[in-house]
Structure formats: C-alpha cells, structure tokens
C-alpha cells in the first residue's frame, strides 16, 4: 500500500528541510485536509448540542463504526463506493438508535445524568468494538484513485488530500441547503431555539431529533471513512481522540453554530499540522494541542468564535 | 447522627477490622490483592464523590490526578539503584536520583503534589460548568498523560517505572480507606460540606446566601483530587509497575461507575459500591476465560467485562437515575424502614393468599 510520504506526519521537518514556500504549502494542504475531516465530525457535535444541549460522547465512536463497516464490506468484495454509501447508512442508523436508547428516556432528566449516559454509550460501543472486531489494528484498502501523487503549483501531495477537501465542500454545501432551504431544516433551527414553542408549531420533536442524529452521524461516517483512507490503520479505539478533538473544534467555533464548527475544525487541523511542521520537537505533544486550545478558548471566549452569548436564567 | 446509627457504625468498623486480621492471616495473595484494591477504590471513589456528588462539579479528571499521585509516590519510594535500572535511556534528573523515603511521607507528599496540581488546574477549569467542565477536566487529564509520556528524564516516558517497592498491605490500604471515610464524613457534615451541597442544589441561591462559590468549588476539587493522589500512590505500590497508559479515561470511567452506582452524594453508598464493583471486576474474569461445560468448550471473550460494566452504568442511569442510594446514607432508620417494608410486603402477600 503505497503510503504517500506526506502522510508519515512525523517525517515532516525532521530532516534538513528548510521552511520553504513549497514545504509550507504542502503542510497547509495536509492541514486543510485534516481540518476538513475535523469540520465534518464537529458538525455532528454542534448540531446535537444545538438542539439537545448534550455532548454526544459517542459521536467519535461512530467514526469507528463507519470505518469497520467499510473494512468488512470491502473484505466481502463489495465495490468500495457502494461500501462507503452503505457504511454511511449503517452509521446513521446506529446514531439514531443511540439517541433512542440512551438519550430520549432521559430528555427531562438533569443534564449530568444524560452526560453519564452518553459516556456509558461511548464506552459500550468501544468495548463492543474490542470484543467483536478484536483490538488488532487492521489495514483498510485504499482505492487506487486516491493513491496518485498530484503536483499542483510546485507542491506534490496525494490525490486523497484534494478528494477529501472536495468531498467536504460538497457535503457542507448540501448541509447548508438542507438547513436553510428545506422545511426540515427550518424545523431543526426552530428546535434549537425552543423545544416547547417548536412542538406547539406542530413540529414532530422526536422525528426531527432523530433526523438530526441521522444527519450528524452520516457526516461523522463520511469523516470516518475518509479518516480510514488517510490513516489506513483502523482499530476499535480510533474514534476516541478524533471525537474529543472535534468536540474542541465545535467549542472553538461556538457550539451550536454549524458555520462555527466548520471554522473551528479547519483552524484545529491547520494548527495541529503546522505546529508540528514548524516545531518538530513538539510531535509528542500533538494530542495535547487540542485540549490546550480548548482551555484557552473556554477561559477567554467561552462562547467560541461564532457563538452567541448565553445568559443563565434563574 | 442517631445513637443507633453510631452503634451500627462502630459494630461495622470493629467487624471490618476483625475481618482484616482474619484475612491477613488466612487469605491467599490474590484475595488480599483484591481487598487492597477495594480499599484503594473506596478512597478514589470518595474523592470523586466529593467533587461530583457533593459539590456537583462534574469532573472527569480523576485518572490524571491518580497518575500524578502514583508517579510522585513511586519516584519517592524507589531506591537509587532501582532508579538507575529504570532510567536507562535518559538518566533521571539529579535531585531525585539519590533520594528515597518511607511509604508514609511519600504518600503525604503525593497528596500535597496532587493538591498543588489540582489547584493550578482547578482555578481556570472551575470557572466552567456542567459538560464544559467535564470535557475540560478530561482534557487536562489527557494532557497530564501526554506530558508524563514525554518527560523522559522525570517519568521515564512510555516505558514507565518498574520495581516500585510493594509496601502495601491490608493495614496500609484499609487504614487510609478508614481515614478517607472519616475525613469525608466530617467534611460533609461541616459548614463546608453544607456549602458544597448548597452549590450542588442551586448555585445562584447559594451565592445569594453568601457562599463564596469559587472558594468552595476549588476546595472540593483540591480535596477530592488529592484523595485521588493518595489512591494513586497506593495503587502504584500495589501494581509495582506503572506507565502512562494505565491512567487513561477508562480508569476514570471505572471510578465514575462506582460513584454513580452507589449514589452521587452518598458516602456509605460509595463504600458499598466501590467494594462490590471491585469484587465484580475480578469475579467477571470468569466470562473472559474459556469455560468447559461437559464436552462443550466456550472460548473466553476478552473485553467482555467492560461491555458488562458499560451496560450496567447505562441501566443504572436509565432506571435508577440517582444510583442505588441517591443522596441517602445507610443509617439505622434506613435499614429499619427497609425491613419494615419487606415485612409489610410479606404480610400483604399472605393476606392476598388468604383472600384467594
């Protein structure tokens, strides 16, 4: 499996390479493609939070579900693009089921109970993954069109980078259309403002919540599939760190705000790649960056970049 | 406390001490290990319960504070020669290299170091509420783990520390567990404890009553976390080998499970659930090892224990949202009430039978 040199992240900048324009651009492209994955996953967090005021801890694990679904279907000789579509559908169903089983019964409970339930679901999925798929990492087949190396304006990178960015843009446009131009989208926005008023306006709350989970989960599935293509080793715990980081991206952009989640995702992805490219000695601390950003943003602008100020009602 | 409850507590204490002496004499190493683990888990769960249950601040950083306690305790008790053996990649930084102390001072210092870190982390993080606090504290606990992995000359990085002296025995572990229980009891029944509960019930109202929110939140966080530090130091001595990967979120999850199961805000509930969960963790190993029934061999399913525990946590939160005890304690009245209810139930059943 010809892994592009650029995807061995720790190689970057370790040699004598100077900070040239090309080096910068290559890393930027890599950062943008990682950022678009973060953005896709962060949208799911932000949409669920916007409507239910709940951190869906299990959201990151949906990545793993999607990646394994693709892995097993490709192993069963299903063409990769059909496998990808089926995996998205499966993940959406899993997402909706999670909401029905773990969050809906607790809708009127204290938020801490729901949070504990979310942690429980996340652990259940991870450990079921470990039991069913075993902890051994598996290599995902990468279709050849993603493996070409592309030269553009003096920089060379894998074609996958551009496919990821392109797919993300298309998905985001579709989401914007859905949220702003369709009745369902309007219902979702109404729910985010007020549950009670929305149900008075003859909006079927449960159906819209399920639909939100389906959309969020399928975006996470797209993210997970592309993640598996970009870093072609999958294991049952692969979703934990992307999940946490994407939550950070959602908070960074202003949780509850879809545009904010996208911006946050891109910022996080670019910062992560660029920081290591410029300071290779920080590579070991890579997983800590997101949390440092999270704590800084929570301290200085808790509402995030695009968020609105919330006041606490007595 | 009612007089009867006091007597009950004394009887239980004496019974436990007698059982400890008995166990120390007659139990094998494996059972003693589980009992040590139960005591450590009681300390850890009480610490988390002070933060999450009594003060209502949902922290998920317990594993990180345990790690700080464990590393401090281990580095202070390791002998200079053992340190030289451990740190073969990078030598350990100089003042620690030729330094060794006893178990008790090491645990006390571990508690203090953890408290200092908890204070530094708590000041920014406790400005947040609810799920933000949960994620930020989880983030800090991960940062602690990442830092431990990268500080080669202080923590030996991902290789971890080995050959940590195993001072621990039933009296150390249960001694500290008793201290933790008594301390928590007096803390919760002091004016500080009442302030914690007031903050948990309603922050705005508590502030209006003149309670300094930030001071009390920090206090609960530092106390609970330093108990995690003590638990961590004992844990390191029990394991004798630690590395950063032990202190993942899964560890916090286990302790959270104990707290939620026993009831957020119940000391006796936490003690009972910590003991039961510890024993169950071991007992459920049966599920993971191959079983032979007659001629049929069922292969063991590794990892099944955690599946069972996640289902258990979800079942408890869905059906008993307040845990088994809620904020109640096991007192004389509580037991009498239960017995009365059981009797009534029995009577009703016999009555119904008579009618038929």
């Amino acid at each position: 499996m010809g892994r592009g040199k650029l995807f061995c992240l720790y190689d970057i900048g370790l040699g004598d390479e100077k900070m040239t324009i090309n080096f910068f651009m290559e890393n930027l492209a890599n950062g943008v493609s990682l950022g678009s994955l973060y953005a896709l996953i962060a949208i799911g967090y932000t949409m669920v939070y916007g409507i239910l005021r709940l951190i869906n801890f299990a959201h990151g694990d949906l990545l793993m579900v999607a990646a394994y679904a693709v892995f097993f279907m490709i192993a069963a000789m299903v063409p990769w693009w059909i496998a990808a579509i089926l995996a998205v559908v499966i993940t959406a169903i899993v997402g909706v089921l999670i909401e029905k089983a773990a969050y809906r019964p607790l809708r009127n409970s204290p938020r801490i109970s729901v949070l504990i339930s979310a942690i429980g679901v996340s652990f259940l999925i991870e450990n079921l993954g470990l039991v069913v798929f075993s902890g051994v990492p598996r290599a995902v087949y990468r279709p050849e069109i993603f493996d070409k190396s592309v030269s553009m304006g003096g920089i060379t990178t894998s074609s996958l980078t551009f496919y990821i960015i392109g797919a993300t843009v298309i998905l985001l446009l579709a989401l914007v259309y859905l949220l702003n131009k369709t009745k369902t989208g309007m219902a979702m926005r109404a729910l985010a403002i007020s549950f009670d008023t929305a149900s008075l306006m003859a909006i079927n709350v449960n159906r819209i919540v399920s639909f939100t989970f389906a959309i969020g989960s399928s975006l996470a599935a797209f993210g997970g599939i592309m993640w598996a293509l970009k870093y072609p080793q999958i294991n049952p715990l692969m979703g934990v760190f992307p999940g946490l980081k994407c939550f950070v991206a959602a908070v960074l952009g202003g949780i509850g705000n879809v545009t904010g989640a996208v911006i946050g995702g891109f910022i996080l992805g670019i910062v992560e790649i660029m920081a290591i490219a410029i300071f290779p000695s920080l590579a070991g601390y890579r997983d800590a960056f997101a949390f440092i950003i999270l704590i800084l943003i929570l301290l200085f602008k808790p509402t995030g970049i695009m968020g609105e100020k919330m006041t606490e009602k007595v | 406390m009612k007089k009867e409850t006091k007597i009950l507590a004394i009887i239980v204490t004496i019974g436990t001490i007698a059982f400890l002496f008995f166990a120390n004499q007659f139990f094998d190493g494996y059972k003693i290990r589980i009992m040590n683990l139960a005591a450590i888990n009681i300390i850890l769960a009480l610490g988390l319960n002070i933060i999450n249950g009594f003060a209502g601040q949902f922290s998920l950083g317990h594993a990180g504070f345990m790690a700080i306690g464990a590393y401090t305790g281990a580095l202070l008790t390791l002998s200079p020669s053992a340190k030289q053996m451990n740190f073969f990649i990078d030598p350990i930084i100089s003042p620690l290299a030729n330094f060794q102390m006893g178990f008790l001072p090491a645990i006390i210092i571990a508690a203090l170091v953890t408290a200092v870190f908890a204070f530094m982390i708590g000041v920014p993080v406790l400005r947040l509420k609810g799920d933000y606090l949960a994620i930020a504290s989880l983030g800090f606990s991960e940062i602690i783990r990442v830092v431990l992995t990268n500080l080669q000359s202080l923590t030996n990085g991902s290789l971890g520390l080995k050959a940590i002296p195993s001072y621990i025995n039933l009296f150390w572990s249960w001694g500290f567990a008793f201290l933790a229980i008594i301390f928590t009891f007096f803390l919760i029944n002091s004016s500080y404890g009442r302030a914690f509960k007031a903050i948990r019930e309603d922050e705005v109202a508590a502030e209006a009553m003149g309670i300094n929110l930030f001071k009390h939140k920090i206090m609960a966080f530092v106390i609970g976390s330093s108990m995690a530090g003590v638990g961590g130091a004992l844990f390191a001595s029990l394991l004798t080998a630690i590395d950063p990967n032990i202190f993942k979120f899964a560890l916090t999850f286990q302790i959270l499970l104990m707290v939620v199961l026993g009831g957020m805000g119940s000391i006796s509930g936490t003690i009972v659930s910590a003991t039961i969960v510890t024993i169950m963790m071991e007992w459920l190993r049966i599920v993971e090892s191959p079983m032979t029934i007659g001629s049929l061999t069922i292969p063991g399913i590794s990892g099944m224990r955690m599946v069972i525990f996640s289902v258990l946590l979800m079942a408890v939160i869905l059906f008993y949202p307040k845990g088994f005890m809620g904020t109640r304690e096991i007192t004389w009245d509580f037991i009498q009430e239960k017995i009365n209810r059981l009797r009534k139930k029995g009577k009703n059943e016999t009555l119904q039978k008579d009618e038929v």
Side-chain angles (χ1 to χ4, degrees), chain A residues 254-279:
Chain A
I255 195 145
N257 185 311
V258 173
T259 326
V262 175
I263 296 173
F266 278 112
I267 292 179
L268 195 63
I270 294 168
V271 165
E272 219 183 275
I273 299 284
M274 286 314 233
I276 296 168
I278 300 168
F279 307 105

Side-chain angles (χ1 to χ4, degrees), chain B residues 1 183-194 197 267:
Chain B
M1 249 206 300
F183 174 76
T184 314
F185 177 78
F186 281 107
L187 177 74
I188 292 311
N189 289 308
S190 69
S191 64
Y192 297 119
R194 284 192 290 276
K197 288 184 207 164
I267 300 176

